[in-house]
Amino acid sequence: MLLGSSRQHVVDLCERGLLPCSRAGTHRRVRRVDVEAMLRPDLTRDQLKALWLHRAVAGRLVADPGAVLSKARVNLDRLRRVHPDGMASVWFDRWQVVLDDGVEAVLEVLTSRSPHAVELRQNSPFAGVLPEVERHAVLASFASRWRQDRAA
């Protein structure tokens, strides 16, 4: 298998929406292009910056899961009130599923380069989890690394 993982892990990825699939009877069909995108997705500068910020959030989540998940839930409720309709509400519903699945599922979305995780991070309920000083440090580190990678 291309992913180098168990069949059950692939099923779990499909169930959580992290790996697109179609169904043929009781079987799931996964396109090779979706598997390859999960293994090596190309990210834009903004998507990569969001990944760096969410990795910092992941560190906070590991240190204090209760506080971080609580903050995300409060933010998600507020976002739903502000944007009750449209595509944003679809992403909020998907975030709700991830939050309900617990810390492991949230960590997967925060740190994954999969297309689904990239999209979810564009509608993140984790605003305010990182103190401004830490957020600015992550952004400065990202900018420095981005310049180094472009110069190489």
Side-chain angles (χ1 to χ4, degrees):
M1 161 139 291
L2 289 173
L3 288 175
S5 62
S6 69
R7 178 190 157 291
Q8 186 59 52
H9 182 67
V10 173
V11 168
D12 291 343
L13 291 171
C14 291
E15 292 293 321
R16 292 194 322 229
L18 297 173
L19 181 61
C21 70
S22 60
R23 294 192 75 112
T26 59
H27 299 278
R28 288 173 187 79
R29 301 286 181 226
V30 178
R31 297 181 321 157
R32 182 181 188 98
V33 67
D34 292 326
V35 173
E36 289 172 352
M38 178 173 262
L39 293 173
R40 285 178 239 90
D42 291 331
L43 301 180
T44 67
R45 183 178 191 278
D46 285 342
Q47 290 168 337
L48 194 55
K49 181 170 54 172
L51 177 60
W52 277 54
L53 285 166
H54 283 84
R55 285 176 176 165
V57 170
R60 291 257 169 189
L61 177 62
V62 170
D64 191 355
V68 172
L69 292 179
S70 176
K71 178 75 169 173
R73 285 189 173 92
V74 167
N75 285 342
L76 192 58
D77 289 342
R78 181 182 47 78
L79 289 166
R80 282 182 192 277
R81 286 191 305 275
V82 173
H83 307 283
D85 302 313
M87 195 59 199
S89 67
V90 172
W91 292 111
F92 301 152
D93 290 345
R94 292 180 183 173
W95 265 118
Q96 188 66 59
V97 170
V98 172
L99 292 172
D100 291 346
D101 283 347
V103 173
E104 290 293 324
V106 175
L107 285 171
E108 177 74 25
V109 172
L110 294 177
T111 61
S112 173
R113 296 173 69 99
S114 75
H116 183 260
V118 169
E119 287 293 329
L120 274 174
R121 287 193 298 268
Q122 296 304 309
N123 298 282
S124 176
F126 292 96
V129 168
L130 296 177
E132 278 303 303
V133 171
E134 187 175 345
R135 184 177 167 281
H136 287 294
V138 171
L139 292 173
S141 179
F142 169 77
S144 174
R145 182 58 180 249
W146 182 262
R147 284 190 299 275
Q148 283 178 345
D149 289 350
R150 295 301 159 257

